[in-house]
Amino acid sequence: MASLDERDITRRTLNFLKSHYRQRQREGATVLSSDMRGAGGIIADGFLSFPQVDGRDFRATVEATSRNSQHEVRYELRRSLLGWDSAAVSATLAAAGLTVWYEQGSLPVKQLGLVASGAILLFVFGLLSFVWSFLLRHLRRYRQIYAIEQFKQYYADEQWVAIAEDVFSNYHDDRYYLELRNQCIYNGFGLVVVRESKPPIMQVTPSRQDLFQNRRQLIPLFSQAELSKVIGEDKRLGWIRRFRSNRLIDIQEKFKYQIAVCLLSVAVAGGIFYLEWKDRPLLVLDYEEYLAEMAKAWQQNRYNSMPDTIPPNQYKIDTPFVWPPPYRKEESPYLSLGLTAEPPPAPAPLVEPEKPEADFLIAFPEVEGLITYDCSRLRIEGEAYVVQEGVYPSYSAAAARIAELRSYGLETSALWLGCFSGAGRGYVVFFGPVFRGSAETARALSIYETQLGDNVLKIGLEVRSLSPNFQR
């Protein structure tokens, strides 16, 4: 059996529609045309019109499809639209989930870091996009049929899709036919199946009401003869330049809303990551390990400074203070033997700072003199504690005490209490760093007391709290 071409389908459909509309009230004869063209590339395979009682012309258009042009009535997946919709939904969900976790304080950004957290977020976004793309691809929104999209571009009172009977393999469970039929019903278009030896079969009647609510324009349609006449008129050349009859309808979707949603979600995620980055934890040293390493380094330096004749497991006792512990507490004091201890070496002269009223004094190994800073260089907020050795009334007194303790191998620092409101005046000499918590300070105090052993220098250590109201 020979297949019908589009001309035959158009002719038979127009004859069918002339009979279908014969009972409609009119004020003139019915006009049948084929291959009509309109501005913007509109093509109507068939056109029927007649004047109505109210003076307005009734217009019906036909889109004819043969077996050779069956792609016009078979849906195609709108992959771009599906991809952007999936991206917008996934970005919104990812940003919403990130916001909820941030409000609950359960984001693992501090533990994983910004790079790892960002990589995980991108992976979640990609996974959600894939899932949503799979779930949404079955919706009508993403199934594009050319004949339907053609009708959406212009207004007509009634529009018909006419297909040859051999376009689809069957009319019961063919998914392409069922989708075409459903979209005709949804948009209010008619559907006719044209047979070669029998009258056409009307599958769907068009809606009497405009389901697009006047969102489409009424575009003039011209036959080939009328179009040739229009081209010959100079005054219409401007309109002709805008008319491109050989161009198919550009149905490409615009994705400005999806892009806006994605950018907004990225801004939300970026803001949350920025807040997490600002709230990142400071690096806190393990003070016990730090003190152990310092003791080990001091002991190694002491071994290296001993003469080669002294075995490394023995000590040359030349001062009343022996470092490091443990010490033999059961030995008798050497004073009972009638010996006189040599006085300890005098403190090394200190280089006076340019600012005698300096607020922070630090002694570093192998560095002559003291390193001094003022209050503005301190970065102490909240609670602050030190392991105090003593409080001294002036810079010179604190510097002298630091030098004296340094001569015994004890590294200390000093801090002007005027840097903290309500902490008093004078300079506090202390061991180790400035601590953030009282528990850490108490542990450090215990460690320093253990390292002092018998404490022959009678150094009194205690925990001192500094006022959190730091003066800038």
Side-chain angles (χ1 to χ4, degrees):
M1 181 179 62
S3 178
L4 294 173
D5 59 17
E6 291 190 4
R7 288 180 177 274
D8 293 332
I9 297 172
T10 302
R11 179 176 54 81
R12 296 187 181 207
T13 304
L14 289 176
N15 292 332
F16 167 77
L17 294 181
K18 183 177 180 180
S19 175
H20 176 73
Y21 293 122
R22 67 181 182 278
Q23 301 298 332
R24 294 282 184 97
Q25 293 184 352
R26 66 194 67 200
E27 291 293 332
T30 300
V31 178
L32 302 179
S33 302
S34 61
D35 196 19
M36 304 291 286
R37 306 298 175 98
I42 299 298
I43 301 175
D45 295 328
F47 179 80
L48 179 147
S49 67
F50 56 82
Q52 301 182 98
V53 177
D54 58 4
R56 187 178 62 88
D57 286 341
F58 175 87
R59 304 197 323 168
T61 57
V62 177
E63 179 66 30
T65 302
S66 65
R67 185 172 183 177
N68 294 331
S69 59
Q70 59 182 337
H71 63 276
E72 295 181 354
V73 292
R74 288 175 175 262
Y75 70 82
E76 295 179 353
L77 193 63
R78 292 180 174 177
R79 298 187 182 276
S80 298
L81 179 61
L82 177 60
W84 276 108
D85 282 358
S86 301
V89 174
S90 302
T92 303
L93 292 178
L98 200 66
T99 304
V100 171
W101 287 333
Y102 174 76
E103 292 294 332
Q104 294 177 350
S106 56
L107 274 180
V109 175
K110 297 183 179 65
Q111 294 77 14
L112 300 177
L114 287 178
V115 176
S117 301
I120 293 176
L121 182 62
L122 288 177
F123 173 78
V124 172
F125 168 76
L127 182 61
L128 287 175
S129 298
F130 174 78
V131 173
W132 278 106
S133 176
F134 179 77
L135 295 177
L136 297 177
R137 65 191 304 121
H138 303 290
L139 298 181
R140 181 188 303 109
R141 172 180 172 84
Y142 308 106
R143 294 184 171 185
Q144 173 180 290
I145 300 177
Y146 174 80
I148 301 296
E149 298 302 322
Q150 174 97 316
F151 283 156
K152 291 180 181 179
Q153 307 307 310
Y154 67 96
Y155 172 79
D157 294 278
E158 293 188 1
Q159 293 163 301
W160 295 81
V161 177
I163 58 176
E165 60 179 340
D166 57 352
V167 168
F168 298 106
S169 58
N170 64 77
Y171 290 83
H172 300 286
D173 55 2
D174 187 286
R175 58 193 178 108
Y176 291 103
Y177 168 73
L178 295 178
E179 183 64 30
L180 173 63
R181 184 175 183 273
N182 290 336
Q183 290 204 23
C184 286
I185 296 173
Y186 180 79
N187 292 285
F189 303 144
L191 178 61
V192 174
V193 177
V194 180
R195 298 180 293 179
E196 182 178 8
S197 57
K198 296 181 181 180
I201 301 177
M202 185 170 55
Q203 301 288 328
V204 179
T205 58
S207 173
R208 292 292 185 91
Q209 297 180 349
D210 183 14
L211 301 183
F212 293 89
Q213 299 179 352
N214 298 323
R215 292 194 299 268
R216 298 177 298 171
Q217 294 183 351
L218 182 63
I219 297 177
L221 298 176
F222 298 89
S223 65
Q224 291 291 346
E226 293 172 330
L227 189 59
S228 301
K229 182 180 178 180
V230 170
I231 293 177
E233 298 178 5
D234 292 341
K235 63 181 181 180
R236 304 294 297 273
L237 286 179
W239 184 88
I240 294 299
R241 291 191 187 100
R242 295 191 301 270
F243 180 88
R244 290 177 285 180
S245 59
N246 59 346
R247 183 178 66 88
L248 295 178
I249 295 176
D250 183 13
I251 316 173
Q252 183 179 2
E253 296 287 343
K254 304 300 181 182
F255 311 113
K256 58 182 180 181
Y257 298 111
Q258 293 89 332
I259 294 175
V261 170
C262 290
L263 292 178
L264 180 61
S265 301
V266 169
V268 171
I272 291 176
F273 277 141
Y274 174 71
L275 294 176
E276 286 290 301
W277 179 78
K278 287 184 60 178
D279 195 32
R280 66 191 184 280
L282 299 176
L283 178 61
V284 179
L285 297 177
D286 190 330
Y287 298 112
E288 297 181 4
E289 294 183 1
Y290 166 76
L291 296 175
E293 290 294 327
M294 291 297 294
K296 182 178 179 181
W298 186 94
Q299 183 177 352
Q300 185 65 36
N301 292 336
R302 186 177 179 84
Y303 286 154
N304 295 336
S305 64
M306 290 181 180
D308 296 337
T309 57
I310 302 177
N313 58 347
Q314 298 181 9
Y315 299 92
K316 180 181 178 180
I317 302 176
D318 57 356
T319 69
F321 178 79
V322 181
W323 183 273
Y327 311 105
R328 298 182 61 186
K329 297 183 180 181
E330 70 277 5
E331 290 188 355
S332 301
Y334 61 87
L335 293 178
S336 63
L337 301 179
L339 301 176
T340 302
E342 297 179 1
L350 296 174
V351 178
E352 289 295 329
E354 296 181 0
K355 296 182 179 180
E357 70 279 5
D359 305 317
F360 201 102
L361 294 70
I362 304 178
F364 289 103
E366 309 299 332
V367 177
E368 183 179 1
L370 297 176
I371 306 299
T372 59
Y373 301 100
D374 56 22
C375 287
S376 63
R377 297 292 298 274
L378 297 177
R379 301 290 183 182
I380 302 176
E381 299 178 357
E383 295 183 351
Y385 302 86
V386 294
V387 178
Q388 174 182 295
E389 184 275 333
V391 179
Y392 299 89
S394 64
Y395 169 88
S396 58
R401 182 56 175 168
I402 291 176
E404 180 182 5
L405 295 175
R406 185 177 185 179
S407 66
Y408 292 101
L410 300 176
E411 301 294 341
T412 55
S413 304
L415 175 65
W416 182 49
L417 293 175
C419 291
F420 301 87
S421 62
R425 289 294 182 267
Y427 288 81
V428 56
V429 176
F430 59 93
F431 283 79
V434 177
F435 296 90
R436 296 291 185 181
S438 58
E440 292 179 298
T441 316
R443 288 196 298 270
L445 174 64
S446 177
I447 293 173
Y448 284 122
E449 289 177 341
T450 301
Q451 291 180 346
L452 290 177
D454 287 340
N455 195 10
V456 296
L457 296 179
K458 306 300 181 183
I459 298 175
L461 299 180
E462 61 178 291
V463 174
R464 183 185 185 97
S465 174
L466 302 176
S467 171
N469 300 324
F470 178 66
Q471 295 179 351
R472 295 282 180 183

